[in-house]
Amino acid sequence: MKLHFKRSFFSLLAFIFLLTTSQLVAQTYAKNGMVVSANKASSEVGVEILKKGGNAIDAAVATAFSLAVTHPAAGNIGGGGFIVFMKTDGDVTTFDFREKAPLASTPTMFLGEDGKVKDNSNHDSLLAVGVPGTVAGLYAAHQKYGKLPWKDVVQPAVDQAENGFEFIWSLYFTAQRFKKATEYPLMVSYFDDDNGEITEPGKLWKQKALANTLKHIRDKGRDGFYKGEVAQKIEDYMKANGGIITKEDLAKYDAVERKAVKGTYKGYDIYGMPPPSSGGATLIQMMNTMELVDWETIEFNSTSYVHVVAEAMRRGFADRAEYLGDPDFNPEMPVDKLISKAHAKNRFENLDMKRASVSDSVKFGHPYDGKDTTHFSVIDKDGNAVSLTYTLEHGYGVKMGSKELGFIFNNEMGDFNAVPGVTTSGYQIGTPPNLIAPEKRMLSSMTPTIVGKNGKPYLVIGSPGGRTIINTVFQTTLNVLEFNMRIDKAIEAMKIHHQWFPDVLTYEKHLMSPDTKKALEAMGHKLSARTSLGVLMGITFDTETGIITGASDSARPDGGAVGY
Ligand code: GLY
């Protein structure tokens, strides 16, 4: 009895120690709610909203607006993204606020006379900007599920932009780079202080123009962005600089609530984003394949492990390229078939455990591998959970925007298949589901995911990284569900990436042993090293103890899990 008491007492002490020192350890613990995002100050904004009685949607909206201020590489009001939302009753819904092609777009708008993409214009020109969706998406989610007034959840971002927040070193480094990039006039002075010098690390960085735009959104909701003064200024800027987005595009933009795609893995429910994201369906297809693996015979990170995971990726990405696009333009997409157990079984049957497949014989890829998107995860005291990924594409999107408005536009049009009908074994895909059309949403790889157990959130996870997103979320999910890893270990464990074409297996350089590399090459895999894959922001929830555990990937040192 005494011993039992002592043990409980010391466990309690250990737990209190972990709570109070949680910033010192890789994981953060909490009882009442948590936000894990790419910027700690923004996670704090979200947690303050939770403390004020807001729910996970309120906190997510506040965090998203805050990241548009603190993490301008990917946090945004000029881009788009997705929310996966699990409610207290276990029901899951999603919001699609992916950008849309402007009304004046055409399938060949980026091609020169030689039929090739002209001057990288689908990434690096104002034509690359899709009609932004973020404000509409956050507004729609808040209108339906938020608890606190809209103004209250936008105000913290207004404050951060107007009064400033502590300028961090990573922004300081970026600012030095942009200072010389005269081709991007907005960016040259973007990080400046009132004296026209780059803000010093540790000093307050103020963004008055952005604060002003955010005030319009705060006061008028979605109309503050899609109509009136801001919309007029967006149109003026586009007209003056060769863009095609008009007030009509903005007024017509809508965010859509869509049914989540659902799969299972050994008793867990996996909820993901349906098309126009390829993330949910491809993740579920690959998890279904993993369910067929005899894990008793395969050690984590062994050659066989990497091989079987890479082969599942190869097949998942081939199907992605062949079938997926905007559901409003592709009503016949076989998503249910792709996420079925039977399809995984078919795909698994021709997987040789001793030899790499050849992508040409598996079938079709897609060029871009945009690195800057951002993900955050939220959970509240009632067990509502939000998994939100949104993006500008690449770092700082198109790196252009109006100085008066103070925000950067996305370059998401680059996610469409730019050259109709031309698919190569290098990077290019020209399949029909993802060709450009007015008001169409470009296919995405963003994979905001919630895993549920008995109707409660178990894991909330997501990452930036272009097409690598699907694979890093996939492996982190597998690490937690199959290998019972703690969330921080699951996030930090070695990741690989295969996207069918190019037929290359990418791995994290310092995390794969020379022996494994040799063995994989002998099996026919073509290897390519990378410093790191994924920037995962995850939360796990223990329904028995009610303890929430969060971890932010060390690949993003400014990130932070904040709980209370
Ligand atoms: N911009 C990344 C994606 O949508 O996949």
Side-chain angles (χ1 to χ4, degrees):
M1 179 70 182
K2 254 189 180 164
L3 189 68
H4 179 75
F5 168 77
K6 258 191 177 166
R7 253 197 226 133
S8 319
F9 179 70
F10 282 114
S11 320
L12 184 68
L13 272 187
F15 181 60
I16 291 170
F17 174 78
L18 282 172
L19 278 181
T20 51
T21 60
S22 50
Q23 300 321 324
L24 301 176
V25 295
Q27 302 199 116
T28 298
Y29 301 87
K31 282 288 261 185
N32 295 306
M34 186 175 287
V35 180
V36 187
S37 85
N39 185 287
K40 201 161 161 231
S42 294
S43 301
E44 278 160 5
V45 161
V47 168
E48 282 310 307
I49 290 290
L50 293 178
K51 286 183 183 167
K52 283 185 183 145
N55 64 16
I57 286 287
D58 294 313
V61 172
T63 306
F65 280 119
S66 169
L67 285 166
V69 179
T70 62
H71 182 39
N76 69 81
I77 55 174
F82 304 110
I83 290 173
V84 177
F85 173 42
M86 179 182 259
K87 297 170 238 168
T88 314
D89 62 5
D91 187 35
V92 178
T93 189
T94 76
F95 284 89
D96 164 10
F97 52 100
R98 183 69 162 162
E99 302 90 328
K100 283 185 171 190
L103 291 161
S105 347
T106 68
T108 52
M109 62 190 276
F110 295 113
L111 304 187
E113 276 172 14
D114 59 357
K116 294 190 177 140
V117 172
K118 199 170 167 215
D119 304 332
N120 201 28
S121 53
N122 59 340
H123 296 287
D124 196 16
S125 79
L126 275 184
L127 292 180
V129 184
V131 182
T134 296
V135 176
L138 299 179
Y139 191 70
H142 181 266
Q143 283 288 102
K144 185 137 181 204
Y145 297 110
K147 255 170 79 183
L148 295 182
W150 172 253
K151 287 187 178 163
D152 293 11
V153 296
V154 185
Q155 187 61 40
V158 173
D159 293 339
Q160 282 179 313
E162 185 148 63
N163 307 326
F165 71 97
E166 207 173 290
F167 202 55
I168 48 185
W169 279 97
S170 56
L171 291 176
Y172 186 68
F173 288 130
T174 304
Q176 310 283 342
R177 190 161 54 85
F178 277 127
K179 206 63 187 158
K180 296 174 204 111
T182 45
E183 67 274 31
Y184 303 118
L186 176 75
M187 302 312 297
V188 170
S189 55
Y190 199 73
F191 303 97
D192 285 358
D193 60 18
D194 291 341
N195 303 321
E197 303 290 334
I198 294 173
T199 309
E200 285 292 318
K203 296 272 190 262
L204 293 179
W205 178 40
K206 297 178 187 163
Q207 301 168 77
K208 297 277 188 217
L210 177 60
N212 218 18
T213 303
L214 288 169
K215 282 180 196 168
H216 282 279
I217 296 165
R218 177 197 63 192
D219 297 342
K220 300 201 182 83
R222 61 157 283 154
D223 285 354
F225 186 87
Y226 294 92
K227 291 187 177 158
E229 199 179 312
V230 172
Q232 182 65 54
K233 283 187 174 147
I234 293 174
E235 183 179 274
D236 293 346
Y237 174 77
M238 289 286 164
K239 269 194 185 144
N241 295 283
I244 54 173
I245 293 178
T246 61
K247 281 193 290 185
E248 190 186 355
D249 280 306
L250 294 162
K252 283 186 94 169
Y253 183 85
D254 55 341
V256 190
E257 185 171 6
R258 298 189 193 274
K259 193 170 175 291
V261 283
K262 182 181 174 205
T264 58
Y265 187 85
K266 300 187 179 176
Y268 297 96
D269 297 315
I270 302 172
Y271 297 95
M273 196 63 217
S277 181
S278 57
T282 310
L283 170 80
I284 290 169
Q285 177 178 340
M286 297 190 303
M287 288 301 288
N288 283 341
T289 311
M290 293 299 100
E291 219 174 28
L292 301 168
V293 174
D294 178 5
W295 289 110
E296 292 298 319
T297 61
I298 295 181
E299 204 181 314
F300 181 73
N301 260 4
S302 62
T303 305
S304 303
Y305 165 88
V306 174
H307 173 67
V308 78
V309 167
E311 292 301 329
M313 291 171 176
R314 187 196 308 272
R315 286 156 179 76
F317 273 76
D319 289 341
R320 170 194 187 273
E322 178 83 357
Y323 299 112
L324 301 182
D326 183 345
D328 297 344
F329 286 72
N330 298 283
E332 307 292 328
M333 272 186 304
V335 175
D336 288 344
K337 178 174 174 261
L338 294 178
I339 64 174
S340 69
K341 301 282 181 197
H343 181 65
K345 199 156 178 283
N346 275 343
R347 283 305 221 170
F348 191 69
E349 263 160 15
N350 68 3
L351 193 161
D352 182 340
M353 284 305 286
K354 301 242 168 305
R355 195 76 212 147
S357 304
V358 178
S359 284
D360 275 315
S361 64
V362 174
K363 266 183 166 213
F364 284 89
H366 187 316
Y368 95 92
D369 184 11
K371 290 196 188 61
D372 242 322
T373 293
T374 192
H375 174 84
F376 62 89
S377 298
V378 182
I379 195 158
D380 70 19
K381 65 177 177 17
D382 299 320
N384 296 294
V386 170
S387 191
L388 191 154
T389 313
Y390 70 155
T391 184
L392 287 177
E393 176 76 351
H394 299 136
Y396 297 89
V398 76
K399 303 168 192 66
M400 295 180 220
S402 150
K403 278 194 178 174
E404 272 183 283
L405 294 171
F407 69 88
I408 303 162
F409 287 110
N410 67 82
N411 55 355
E412 226 67 53
M413 293 289 285
D415 280 359
F416 278 117
N417 297 347
V419 192
V422 179
T423 298
T424 68
S425 60
Y427 277 111
Q428 198 155 295
I429 298 186
T431 47
N434 191 36
L435 297 181
I436 305 170
E439 291 196 88
K440 190 171 177 180
R441 298 173 203 263
M442 55 296 283
L443 185 64
S444 170
S445 297
M446 289 187 277
T447 315
T449 301
I450 297 180
V451 175
K453 196 177 172 188
N454 305 323
K456 297 277 168 234
Y458 183 76
L459 169 69
V460 189
I461 191 78
S463 176
R467 272 177 297 167
T468 70
I469 297 174
I470 309 176
N471 286 335
T472 57
V473 173
F474 159 49
Q475 288 162 94
T476 310
T477 305
L478 188 67
N479 291 348
V480 173
L481 304 193
E482 180 60 46
F483 298 103
N484 295 321
M485 285 186 204
R486 289 172 17 176
I487 185 66
D488 59 337
K489 300 279 180 212
I491 284 173
E492 301 294 334
M494 184 192 75
K495 303 288 185 304
I496 60 160
H497 173 69
H498 197 300
Q499 60 181 43
W500 177 49
F501 277 131
D503 191 349
V504 169
L505 199 170
T506 307
Y507 65 96
E508 289 179 300
K509 202 172 182 175
H510 58 294
L511 292 176
M512 190 184 273
S513 76
D515 287 349
T516 305
K517 274 182 247 172
K518 261 190 223 143
L520 287 165
E521 274 165 350
M523 291 170 91
H525 288 286
K526 297 170 205 78
L527 300 185
S528 159
R530 227 195 229 197
T531 318
S532 92
L533 282 163
V535 185
L536 294 125
M537 301 285 153
I539 293 178
T540 50
F541 179 59
D542 183 337
T543 40
E544 269 171 43
T545 60
I547 294 173
I548 303 162
T549 307
S552 111
D553 200 318
S554 62
R556 168 94 196 148
D558 303 316
V562 180
Y564 82 107

